[in-house]
């Protein structure tokens, strides 16, 4: 089959393209600007989106492109809405014209984090900030524009070899600071982009419309995740717990993040599909792939 990927040069997009190629499917990599091996597609350009999808005629689009600067979205929401809402709308419209399936990647930030048990796909969303609201708008526009031929996949706390991510940051800080302060009152499920990529391609191969929660099994705080990263790296540097409020004050972050964003993977279970590995196994797999100098 032929799968077109948006944001193909991003952290998740790179792993998704590799997985598609590994399974012997045709992959069309798209991204902003001109780049070797990429089809140029700025998803905010409605006409270009329609033309590109019509010309390339994929069976499925895996839509990984997004405005992911969470603090930036809070300070200036318009660009986040332009990419996450309008861009997703353009792709849904283009997919509708071309008879293509669309898998839109979304986020745990659509939830307010007030639950104390995992969120199912049927829980009501209530984003706390502009990034989550813009992603929620993208979800709504995809559902309304492409009924019956879309899948929304919500995921959380991504880390992958091809991006800026939490494990790299913690390793860097553990090398240069006497202690590493990390938030202990936010709980979620850290997810390796390679594991998610496999599941996204499974869905592309066997589509069934709806909303899916796909993240690692298990849960932890950022503090516990950081402890696992330093322990695996053999660092002696202590990780010290701080509150989300202390982090926001110290780093001047305007973003309110959900305190609890663990997701139940009910839709996968209903379809009889396996869960992702536990986050501790995912971290071990990831660290085995990381170059020594990262
Ligand atoms: N990272 C996380 O922890 C996390 C958690 C939950 C959900 N998600 C979701 O997972 C998906 C992938 O995230 P990621 O962390 O892999 O993101 P990423 O590394 O920031 O990659 C995003 C990609 O989108 C591209 N892009 C931005 N604006 C575009 C536009 N107007 N037209 C075309 N491409 C555009 C970027 O291209 P440039 O390089 O040109 O900017 C980049 O390649 C996103 O939907 C995100 O919302 C992420």
């Amino acid at each position: 089959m032929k799968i077109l990927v948006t944001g193909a040069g991003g952290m998740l997009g790179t792993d998704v393209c590799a997985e598609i190629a590994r399974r012997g499917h045709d992959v069309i990599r798209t991204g902003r600007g001109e780049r070797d091996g990429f089809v140029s597609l700025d998803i905010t350009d409605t006409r270009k989106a329609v033309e590109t999808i019509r010309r390339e005629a994929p069976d499925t689009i895996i839509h990984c492109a997004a405005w992911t600067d969470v603090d930036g979205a809070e300070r200036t929401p318009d660009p986040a809405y332009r990419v996450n809402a309008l861009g997703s709308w353009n792709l849904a419209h283009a997919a509708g014209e071309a008879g293509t399936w669309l898998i839109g990647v979304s986020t745990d930030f659509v939830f307010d984090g007030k639950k104390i048990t995992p969120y199912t796909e049927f829980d009501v969303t209530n984003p706390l900030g502009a990034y989550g609201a813009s992603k929620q708008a993208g979800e709504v526009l995809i559902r309304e524009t492409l009924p019956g031929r879309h899948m929304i996949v919500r995921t959380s706390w991504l880390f992958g070899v091809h991006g800026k991510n939490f494990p790299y940051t913690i390793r860097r800080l553990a090398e240069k600071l006497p202690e590493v302060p990390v938030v202990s009152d936010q709980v979620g499920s850290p997810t390796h982009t390679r594991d998610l990529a496999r599941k996204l391609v499974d869905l592309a191969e066997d589509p069934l419309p709806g909303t899916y929660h796909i993240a690692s099994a298990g849960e932890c705080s950022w503090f516990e995740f950081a402890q696992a990263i330093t322990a695996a790296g053999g660092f002696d540097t202590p990780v010290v717990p701080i509150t989300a409020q202390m982090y926001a004050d110290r780093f001047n972050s305007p973003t309110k993040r959900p305190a609890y964003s663990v997701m139940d993977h009910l839709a996968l279970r209903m379809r009889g599909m396996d869960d992702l590995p536990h986050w501790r196994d995912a971290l071990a797999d990831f660290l085995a792939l990381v170059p020594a100098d990262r």
Side-chain angles (χ1 to χ4, degrees), residues 157 166-167 170 180-190 218-232 239-242 259-260 262 278-280 283:
W157 294 27
F166 187 77
I170 293 300
V180 184
V182 181
V183 170
S184 61
D185 56 356
Q186 284 168 354
V187 172
S189 303
E219 61 181 66
C220 62
S221 66
W222 289 112
F223 168 70
E224 290 167 310
F225 189 30
Q227 281 186 314
I229 294 161
T230 52
V239 179
V240 296
I242 59 169
Y260 182 83
V262 179
H278 192 278
W279 67 265
R280 286 190 185 276
L283 176 63

Side-chain angles (χ1 to χ4, degrees), residues 7 9-12 32 41-44 64-66 68 83 105-107 131 135 155-158:
M11 183 167 70
L12 175 62
R32 283 191 293 196
L41 174 61
D42 182 328
I43 62 167
T44 63
C64 303
T68 53
V83 178
V105 180
S106 190
T107 171
Y131 167 74
K135 294 292 290 183
T155 189
S156 64
W157 294 27
L158 290 183

Side-chain angles (χ1 to χ4, degrees), residues 68-87:
T68 53
D69 175 1
V70 175
D71 284 344
E74 215 52 56
R75 294 189 182 100
T76 323
D78 275 23
Y81 275 94
R82 204 171 299 125
V83 178
N84 297 342
L86 173 65

